[in-house]
Amino acid sequence: MKAVRFSRFGGPEVLEVVDLPDPHPGPGEVRVAVRAAGVNASDWKKRGGLMDQELPQTLGYEAAGVVDELGEGVADVAVGDRVFGFCVEGAAQAELAVLSHYAPIPPSLDFSGAAALPAAIETATRALDQLGAGGGGTLLVNGASGSIGGAAVQLAAARAARVIGTAGPANQEYLRSLGAEPVAYGEGLVERVRALAPDGVDAALDVAGNGVLPELIALAGGAEHVVTVADFGGAREHGVRFSRGDDGRAVHVLGEIGALVEAGRFALPVARTFPLAEVAEAHRAGEGRHVRGKLVLLVG
């Protein structure tokens, strides 16, 4: 099968599409003929040598496709079903991928729309679970217009939370469309949030990692009410929880998101798609940070 791989660390130019042996599912897993695979910031961090140090490496943790092989004990899907989910081996950007956690693709979504979901909705849901967000409380999302932030806004709203979200001027109306009350980034953030919520907020989620953890702590009434998914150093400095996958992944959201999508209560835009062979261009677009929504590779 064709798959994305790199054999040295560096810029997008180190990425190759190579022939690799076909994978096969283990117990409880399924193999899919991949139709689309998500591209994430972790991809260029891996490519740059900031995560795993072994070489060579494949890429991709999320994919959507058609089931073509079942692992032992799998009875909830059949060969030919459309599914999306996680490839824990990090080899989803390929013609075939093994999914360890999966769910049926919501009927209204195409493959690219489904491939955009897993990482964003799992990260957002994990953080919301850790914060206990919902139930009528007020949540502040710092960096609310990106994929994870936008997912967090919508998922928190679905839990009956009031959501205030930070974003630049160009994304204020977009946040309103997601159900958030927008405020601008930058100096004076605390005062702007307090103008909307005079007593502060019940919890704060940092997706942007732009150095505002002290302000979020002040607004939320303590570090224990703040979670970041983007500022590891700041989390250590200020006693804030840094949410990561090894905390226990919130894969339950894969099976829950379909109802929200079909009810028109959740949408995650796909900003651009690229053929698998143009994976380097997808990395350049993502690292440039000039896109709103997910980048997706199309396969087959």
Side-chain angles (χ1 to χ4, degrees):
M1 68 165 186
K2 300 292 186 184
V4 175
R5 190 179 72 174
F6 59 91
S7 298
R8 58 191 175 93
F9 298 118
E13 69 279 357
V14 306
L15 298 172
E16 302 174 290
V17 177
V18 300
D19 286 307
L20 294 179
D22 293 353
H24 296 282
E29 299 176 329
V30 301
R31 189 179 75 178
V32 296
V34 177
R35 296 290 181 264
V39 179
N40 293 289
S42 60
D43 293 344
W44 42 88
K45 290 177 182 177
K46 287 184 68 174
R47 189 203 72 221
L50 301 177
M51 295 174 65
D52 310 320
Q53 292 302 305
E54 69 272 11
L55 288 171
Q57 289 186 45
T58 53
L59 286 173
Y61 288 102
E62 55 185 348
V66 178
V67 176
D68 78 344
E69 189 174 319
L70 303 177
E72 181 183 351
V74 172
D76 54 349
V77 296
V79 170
D81 286 355
R82 299 191 327 146
V83 301
F84 72 111
F86 285 107
C87 175
V88 297
E89 291 83 7
Q93 295 171 11
E95 292 177 322
L96 298 169
V98 171
L99 303 185
S100 299
H101 305 286
Y102 55 87
I105 293 175
S108 64
L109 291 186
D110 60 13
F111 288 113
S112 60
L117 292 177
I121 62 175
E122 188 281 325
T123 302
T125 299
R126 175 176 8 108
L128 295 179
D129 288 350
Q130 290 164 347
L131 286 166
T138 299
L139 171 71
L140 174 61
V141 179
N142 179 53
S145 62
S147 296
I148 296 171
V153 167
Q154 296 173 85
L155 292 168
R159 299 181 180 200
R162 177 193 181 192
V163 185
I164 299 171
T166 70
N171 288 316
Q172 303 273 310
E173 286 305 315
Y174 174 63
L175 286 194
R176 287 191 181 93
S177 76
L178 298 183
E181 299 168 56
V183 295
Y185 285 122
E187 187 176 349
L189 174 64
V190 171
E191 291 72 23
R192 287 190 293 276
V193 172
R194 288 199 182 277
L196 295 174
D199 296 327
V201 299
D202 297 292
L205 170 59
D206 172 38
V207 181
N210 55 351
V212 298
L213 289 182
E215 289 92 332
L216 301 188
I217 292 168
L219 286 163
E224 67 274 18
H225 303 302
V226 179
V227 165
T228 180
V229 299
D231 189 355
F232 181 74
R236 294 186 66 179
E237 180 181 354
H238 299 292
V240 166
R241 181 173 190 166
F242 182 84
S243 182
R244 62 181 84 204
D246 54 14
D247 289 342
R249 292 195 178 276
V251 294
H252 61 87
V253 72
L254 294 177
E256 299 164 358
I257 199 66
L260 292 175
V261 170
E262 297 307 304
R265 300 176 65 195
F266 186 93
L268 192 63
V270 174
R272 291 181 64 184
T273 61
F274 301 80
L276 187 68
E278 295 179 14
V279 60
E281 287 305 309
H283 277 229
R284 291 185 182 99
E287 287 182 286
R289 298 190 178 188
H290 298 307
V291 294
R292 183 175 74 197
K294 284 285 292 207
L295 301 174
V296 175
L297 298 174
L298 301 180
V299 186

